[in-house]
């Protein structure tokens, strides 16, 4: 193998594939980057058996070939190369990297031991703008379940509805739904993507205007965008029937300013050890929302002017769950709808159904 | 106690005094900030029995008084206050903090349990520009000893010479000397400041043009600058006779470009686990310096054009020690002088004696 490539391209490729390389790989061979020079291209691969990433860069290939190199060492070296084109070639059992006056010799391994990335059939395809997929992931990922008790809930449900795509996550305390309207889509699909996959995918989708092609089978999915192919397993099983728990009737609805409300929640969390130790109590009286937390070390009370429709009421929440939802809202104002002190509240936009956050209350003393 | 103060002033004061407040204080009372409102000023104090910091801000004092408040909680709250002036007052056993619509109630304690900050006599004073003191600390602190075996070496020697101040640190492997020329100084002094003190002091000296007044006694020192009084214990005992180990005669002297040499060291460290596992070998042949590291995972070789005076030679170093010294150099080029393969090298400026870094070599196979 023998090729020359710029540091910038090498770094981009390594940055991509390293998302699928663990610091403590379950098999030593998976701590390597797979490198293949062929037809004027360098193919980089990383694989942790759950996620596989392939990244391709154009380069001047002098001699074709393929090797495995230690991911950490190779990326450390590339990060420290000069601006010149790097020459990279095998010489006996060494991979030689020459950049400027620096000559590195590192070990390389045969590629035979590296597991093959799964093939994903391209029969079923969904295409959308990267920006839309990013929005859906960002606005729901925080409420993916972290409990291994119901594995299916550690993923996000990605499904189509008429003219829109939806992403849904839920744990035992809250649910997040994010919709993107995709006019003219006639693809019907429904599958559950692991939270870890979405987390890594989010880091790699840097170009908002780019198209992303999503190919799915029953057990796996392939995301294609830019120079990247990103393959992941899908979670198997029936997802929770989330529509059944979306409340329809409310006794109180309020409209709050998102920034003001976020700051109030943050200040309340100061005395409750980030929401873990004492509930945030919301009290609605006419057009005043009072937020209060009685922590061990102190207490905080704050009022906010609101628009209100319905009854006065009083309800307690884990402040962290409210904050997660409010922080992901990209609107000036939101509606919060209540069904009573012991039922979930629902946070929605004023004039659309783009998102819905459902949060269960916590018991408070009266 | 009752006063109003802006968030900005409160934050600056807390930022100062918190440098003397540990997250795990040896006595619970030292986890508090001492607050005193008097004569149109708020006095803030933090103290960990080694370092004591007093910070004063002007404010509107409505009622004089003093309290202790939990440092972490109080600073978390202040950081999250709005832009309005905050009203802060005691009400029974609560300290009330009002900012905008937010009302915090937190516990306060009597100040009687808070240890008094030591008084430092103002008989002996050194005055210098903050910038000079910062330079001296920054360029020497990295080689302060971390071993408790010889406590005196965990501090930096600060001493006067004719028309200059010097700071010296050393551990078992290297020594750093930094000089600042202070014309017209007639103060004669010599004392050893704990490394921890210098580390915290460095963070607080933000205004380079400001004057800093250093008052010293045998056992303690007071730094006065801006709104701050910073008191520290001094280390007791005789400092190492460092002048005795400064070599005078060399067999080889080279001049290297600082940036190029730094990059070469950094690249060599990639294969030696940050310099811990394999020595960086420097080989000088005519006007070429070759840097080579034979690590377990790979090796790197790099060459650099140098000016040379004296014999060709070959010598090994812990790359980290070379890097620490080279990184603190604020010059384009430096001179490195060698006495032979088993003796220390010395890094100095080309045309002054502003700094001197002495580094012991490590044994290498020939």
């Amino acid at each position: 193998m023998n090729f020359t490539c710029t540091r910038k391209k090498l770094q981009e490729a390594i940055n991509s594939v390293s998302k699928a390389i663990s610091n403590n790989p379950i098999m030593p061979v998976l701590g390597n980057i797979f490198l293949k020079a062929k037809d004027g291209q360098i193919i980089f691969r990383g694989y942790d058996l759950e996620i596989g990433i392939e990244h391709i860069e154009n380069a001047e290939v002098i001699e074709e070939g393929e090797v495995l190199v230690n991911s950490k060492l190779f990326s450390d070296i590339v990060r420290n190369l000069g601006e010149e084109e790097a020459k990279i070639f095998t010489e006996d059992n060494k991979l030689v990297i020459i950049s400027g006056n620096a000559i590195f010799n590192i070990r390389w391994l045969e590629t035979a031991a590296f597991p093959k990335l799964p093939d994903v059939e391209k029969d079923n395809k969904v295409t959308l703008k990267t920006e839309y997929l990013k929005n859906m992931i960002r606005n729901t990922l925080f409420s993916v379940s972290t409990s291994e008790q119901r594995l299916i809930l550690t993923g996000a449900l990605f499904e189509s509805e008429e003219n829109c795509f939806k992403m849904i996550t839920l744990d035992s305390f809250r649910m997040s739904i994010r919709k993107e309207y995709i006019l003219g889509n006639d693809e019907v699909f429904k599958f559950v993507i692991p939270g870890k996959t979405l987390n890594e995918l989010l880091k790699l989708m840097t170009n908002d205007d780019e198209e992303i092609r999503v190919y799915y089978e029953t057990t796996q999915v392939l995301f294609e965008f830019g120079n990247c192919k990103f393959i992941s397993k899908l979670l198997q099983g029936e997802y929770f029937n989330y529509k059944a728990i979306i409340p329809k009737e409310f006794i109180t609805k309020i409209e709050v300013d998102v920034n003001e409300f976020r700051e109030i929640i943050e200040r309340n969390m100061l005395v409750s050890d980030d929401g873990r130790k004492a509930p945030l109590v919301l009290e609605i009286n006419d057009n005043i929302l009072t937020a209060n937390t009685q922590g061990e070390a102190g207490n905080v009370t704050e009022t906010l002017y609101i628009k209100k429709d319905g009854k006065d009421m009083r309800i307690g929440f884990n402040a962290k769950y409210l904050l997660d939802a409010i922080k992901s809202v990209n609107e000036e104002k939101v509606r919060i709808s209540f069904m009573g002190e012991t039922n979930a509240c629902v946070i929605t936009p004023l004039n659309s159904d783009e998102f819905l956050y459902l949060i269960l209350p916590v018991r408070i003393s009266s």
Side-chain angles (χ1 to χ4, degrees), chain A:
Chain A
M1 190 182 70
N2 188 340
F3 65 90
T4 65
C5 191
T6 61
R7 181 184 68 181
K8 189 162 172 289
K9 285 184 180 182
L10 289 167
Q11 267 196 293
E12 272 177 28
I14 292 169
N15 180 45
S16 289
V17 300
S18 63
K19 301 287 181 290
I21 301 177
S22 156
N23 289 330
N24 288 306
I26 45 173
M27 292 156 56
V29 70
L30 299 178
N32 290 296
I33 292 177
F34 174 104
L35 273 183
K36 178 176 187 159
K38 201 180 175 191
D39 297 337
Q41 293 188 320
I42 315 299
I43 301 167
F44 301 76
R45 278 183 206 145
Y47 190 29
D48 68 5
L49 301 186
E50 300 285 327
I51 296 172
I53 300 175
E54 182 173 289
H55 186 107
I56 295 179
E57 291 286 352
N58 293 323
E60 190 192 341
V61 175
I62 296 145
E63 190 192 350
E64 298 188 344
E66 55 186 59
V67 299
L68 300 183
V69 285
N70 179 279
S71 167
K72 182 173 181 315
L73 181 61
F74 189 58
S75 56
D76 281 350
I77 288 173
V78 167
R79 195 178 325 113
N80 282 276
L81 293 179
E83 290 301 329
E84 308 90 348
E85 290 245 319
K87 293 182 212 300
I88 299 183
F89 55 90
T90 50
E91 197 175 72
D92 303 326
N93 62 344
K94 294 287 177 192
L95 182 73
V96 184
I97 303 157
I98 301 183
S99 164
N101 290 326
I103 306 169
F104 291 89
N105 288 288
I106 64 175
R107 272 190 247 153
W108 64 272
L109 300 170
E110 296 286 349
T111 55
F114 198 79
K116 206 172 152 300
L117 260 57
D119 282 321
V120 179
E121 293 294 331
K122 296 203 166 177
D123 299 338
N124 298 307
K125 176 167 101 168
V126 183
T127 305
L128 72 167
K129 259 178 75 179
T130 302
E131 185 189 356
Y132 298 154
L133 186 57
K134 274 169 75 172
N135 287 343
M136 286 192 275
I137 297 173
R138 270 208 205 110
N139 293 349
T140 58
L141 192 56
F142 59 84
S143 60
V144 103
S145 170
T146 52
S147 154
E148 302 281 306
Q149 288 206 338
R150 289 192 62 189
L151 262 190
I152 188 90
L153 298 185
T154 63
L157 176 65
F158 185 42
E159 66 172 9
S160 60
E161 267 183 10
E162 212 187 324
N163 288 327
C164 80
F165 295 164
K166 285 168 85 173
M167 194 165 278
I168 298 100
T169 64
L170 62 89
D171 60 20
S172 312
F173 311 103
R174 57 214 171 133
M175 172 168 77
S176 306
I177 303 178
R178 181 67 160 84
K179 248 183 216 186
E180 283 287 351
Y181 282 90
I182 315 278
L183 289 180
N185 172 65
D186 53 2
E187 195 68 36
V188 178
F189 63 91
K190 183 174 179 174
F191 49 86
V192 181
I193 310 168
K196 179 176 177 300
T197 295
L198 295 175
N199 191 30
E200 300 302 341
L201 186 61
L202 194 56
K203 295 177 198 161
L204 290 186
M205 295 187 295
T206 47
N207 184 352
D208 273 3
D209 294 324
E210 211 166 53
E211 269 212 339
I212 185 160
R213 294 169 298 286
V214 186
Y215 301 96
Y216 56 96
E217 295 176 9
T218 314
T219 60
Q220 54 189 12
V221 63
L222 161 64
F223 301 90
E224 269 191 10
F225 56 102
N227 300 343
C228 248
K229 289 183 187 181
F230 188 116
I231 296 160
S232 168
K233 286 196 178 164
L234 292 175
L235 290 170
Q236 301 302 307
E238 193 63 32
Y239 197 75
F240 188 81
N241 178 14
Y242 72 93
K243 286 180 184 166
I245 58 168
I246 302 176
K248 300 279 178 301
E249 287 178 16
F250 303 98
I251 61 163
T252 309
K253 292 180 181 184
I254 63 173
E255 288 179 25
V256 299
D257 180 280
V258 169
N259 280 333
E260 284 179 2
F261 193 46
R262 196 198 68 239
E263 286 179 13
I264 287 176
I265 299 168
E266 284 170 346
R267 282 190 285 260
N268 270 270
M269 287 170 73
L270 296 175
V271 296
S272 67
D273 191 18
D274 282 352
R276 282 187 289 271
K277 292 228 174 115
L280 168 60
V281 178
L282 299 180
E283 204 166 331
I284 299 164
N285 285 308
D286 298 331
N287 290 104
I288 301 294
L289 173 71
T290 306
N292 171 261
T293 303
Q294 298 278 347
E296 261 176 57
N299 66 69
V300 53
T301 304
E302 194 153 354
T303 55
L304 178 66
Y305 182 84
I306 53 168
K307 269 198 189 170
K308 190 196 75 167
D309 186 14
K311 289 188 193 170
D312 286 349
M313 63 171 297
R314 190 166 169 277
I315 186 168
F317 289 102
N318 179 323
K320 176 68 164 56
Y321 297 157
L322 277 181
L323 184 68
D324 282 342
I326 284 291
K327 271 171 83 172
S328 79
V329 167
N330 195 13
E331 308 261 342
E332 250 182 70
K333 288 177 183 292
V334 285
R335 175 173 298 116
I336 311 181
S337 308
F338 302 90
M339 295 189 294
E341 173 164 339
T342 55
N343 289 102
C345 81
V346 170
I347 303 175
T348 51
L350 299 190
N351 304 311
S352 80
D353 61 351
E354 211 173 48
F355 60 82
L356 182 150
Y357 298 115
L358 178 144
I359 302 170
L360 289 180
V362 294
R363 185 186 298 273
I364 51 173
S365 52
S366 48

